[in-house]
Amino acid sequence: MFKKASLVAAIAAAGIFSSSAALAETWRFALEEVEGSVQDAYAQEFKKRIEERSDGDITIEIYPYGSLGTSSQLTELVQQDAIQLAFASPGHLASVIPETGVFTLHFLFSDDNEVNEQVLANTEARSMLQEAYHEQNLQLLGIIPEGWMVWTGNRSIETPQDMEGFKIRTMTSPILVESYRAYGANPSPMPYAEVYSGLQLGQIDGQVNPIFAIEEMSFYEVQDYMIQAKQAQFITTLVAAQDFYENLPEEQQTMIDEVTNEMRGYIFDKQDEFNEQRLETIQENSDIELITLSEEQREAFREMSLSVRDTYIEQAGERGKKILETLDEELRAAEEEKGGSDNG
Ligand code: 6CS
């Protein structure tokens, strides 16, 4: 869908130049998701707040998924400073920044998503991550949960045995591929835009995404089962071109930092609302079967997932190990403080 030539043509048509300097007051913001998605809701609100606060000095142009390229291509465009802002989800980004693979590890985050949000908002791991983003010419602006990753399939998946040979589409990061190999599945990484036809043509048996995405990408139309195992959150990161960010006047950097901080509650509520409402839409429009795994069933997957943490450390090195340890400690401490769930 996104061949290099058409990508270049799209950028030319959009009038995107190679340097942000020529675009002083227009910031281009690319999404990995379509209009009406969680990322779109974020971008629309960000645009509103920045334009208001800058008194019209800054205009934000939003490019939903499909207008510029795949997730990996969007990241490249930000790295080259051809666009200023984008979402870069670890499910793809870990191919470039292995440390971000931590956000895709199974059974690391809390079963209580408020705990996850609280930890992600304040994590001490942020400075180590920022270092890794800088090495790739990116500025990390935010780490944002978008909802539980739910499996869909042409068969039900309730035990690791059901995963045996299951051809599941994953995002493109190597650590995600390993996460599904650990269950005995046959992971098939591919870009988001190819998933619907892959399912429809039977090239893949299933995929994994949050409910709002399963609805808006119509995956539920070509699948028989939706399985909630609460094995992982979909966590995205908001990035800027590092040169662009560092060359901004200090008050504009502060404005971005304040707006992204102030928007945390807004987007957390939005993703919750979207995931809840779209589940109703799916149920109204299809007879897809919804299965929620019991604690015992989840435990079987959890045990098999633990070895993937070693693979992550092999890929992400010493800094990646420290990021994992920091997040793990913070998550367990926050759970304890809340007296809530135990997700080991
Ligand atoms: O599965 C994917 O590739 C995509 N899923 C979502 C929910 N957001 C962006 C990501 O690229």
Side-chain angles (χ1 to χ4, degrees):
M1 182 176 176
F2 301 115
K3 295 281 173 299
K4 201 112 198 168
S6 61
L7 183 65
V8 171
I11 294 164
I16 294 179
F17 308 108
S18 59
S19 153
S20 306
L23 306 165
E25 304 305 335
T26 301
W27 298 353
R28 293 185 160 95
F29 189 167
L31 315 182
E32 302 169 295
E33 294 169 6
V34 296
E35 271 175 47
S37 60
V38 171
Q39 291 187 2
D40 187 40
Y42 188 101
Q44 300 292 348
E45 186 65 22
F46 180 84
K47 171 181 168 69
K48 192 172 128 218
R49 295 189 191 199
I50 293 281
E51 289 181 354
E52 263 170 27
R53 233 185 254 207
S54 71
D55 243 344
D57 283 353
I58 296 158
T59 305
I60 310 261
E61 283 176 5
I62 300 170
Y63 293 83
Y65 190 63
S67 46
L68 292 182
T70 64
S71 295
S72 307
Q73 289 169 329
L74 297 183
T75 300
E76 280 176 33
L77 290 173
V78 184
Q79 284 177 305
Q80 293 157 12
D81 200 1
I83 50 179
Q84 291 67 54
L85 299 155
F87 282 103
S89 295
H92 298 288
L93 186 65
S95 308
V96 181
I97 306 177
E99 289 88 337
T100 63
V102 74
F103 297 117
T104 68
L105 289 175
H106 290 189
F107 299 99
L108 170 66
F109 283 85
S110 176
D111 290 358
D112 181 341
N113 205 24
E114 283 179 12
V115 165
N116 297 328
E117 164 55 17
Q118 186 194 322
V119 168
L120 292 172
N122 303 302
T123 178
E124 300 254 322
R126 183 151 170 159
S127 56
M128 290 182 270
L129 285 159
Q130 189 67 273
E131 211 176 80
Y133 277 65
H134 282 173
E135 286 165 16
Q136 291 297 329
N137 296 331
L138 296 169
Q139 178 77 25
L140 172 64
L141 298 179
I143 311 168
I144 301 152
E146 294 191 30
W148 294 108
M149 290 294 263
V150 172
W151 298 325
T152 66
N154 56 11
R155 64 177 196 238
S156 182
I157 303 286
E158 293 168 49
T159 65
Q161 289 72 39
D162 296 329
M163 275 282 187
E164 202 56 53
F166 185 71
K167 207 158 182 215
I168 186 165
R169 178 271 174 174
T170 63
M171 289 179 275
T172 50
S173 115
I175 197 70
L176 259 183
V177 172
E178 288 312 318
S179 297
Y180 284 93
R181 275 209 189 112
Y183 299 141
N186 182 4
S188 181
M190 64 174 73
Y192 200 30
E194 291 169 25
V195 180
Y196 183 88
S197 62
L199 293 171
Q200 194 180 35
L201 299 174
Q203 291 161 330
I204 43 176
D205 300 321
Q207 63 84 48
V208 49
N209 253 306
I211 289 168
F212 81 86
I214 294 170
E215 193 275 328
E216 71 195 10
M217 299 299 279
S218 304
F219 300 152
Y220 71 96
E221 289 176 1
V222 284
Q223 294 275 264
D224 299 321
Y225 297 91
M226 272 176 68
I227 305 105
Q228 175 70 274
K230 278 197 172 182
Q231 79 288 358
Q233 268 289 309
F234 182 93
I235 294 172
T236 193
T237 69
L238 175 63
V239 298
Q242 193 191 353
D243 288 350
F244 155 76
Y245 181 86
E246 285 179 353
N247 290 324
L248 285 175
E250 209 181 308
E251 68 270 17
Q252 290 189 357
Q253 288 181 354
T254 309
M255 177 175 65
I256 292 179
D257 297 346
E258 283 174 359
V259 168
T260 50
N261 273 329
E262 289 161 13
M263 274 187 58
R264 292 207 71 95
Y266 172 84
I267 202 61
F268 189 73
D269 292 348
K270 265 283 177 249
Q271 60 81 30
D272 221 23
E273 185 189 308
F274 278 21
N275 283 307
E276 217 175 282
Q277 284 172 356
R278 309 257 177 114
L279 180 59
E280 284 171 25
T281 311
I282 292 174
Q283 285 175 315
E284 278 162 20
N285 295 327
S286 75
D287 50 12
I288 197 164
E289 201 173 320
L290 184 63
I291 290 159
T292 303
L293 298 197
S294 67
E295 284 312 309
E296 235 175 76
Q297 288 172 317
R298 293 180 70 221
E299 186 54 28
F301 286 100
R302 198 188 77 86
E303 275 169 26
M304 292 181 87
S305 76
L306 293 177
S307 65
V308 182
R309 297 187 190 187
D310 297 332
T311 315
Y312 159 77
I313 292 167
E314 277 164 30
Q315 292 180 7
E318 200 46 42
R319 185 169 56 197
K321 182 169 181 260
K322 279 205 197 106
I323 291 170
L324 169 59
E325 286 166 356
T326 306
L327 279 169
D328 196 20
E329 270 169 36
E330 290 172 343
L331 285 159
R332 305 298 71 94
E335 280 177 335
E336 208 164 294
E337 199 178 305
K338 210 174 166 194
S341 55
D342 178 16
N343 192 25

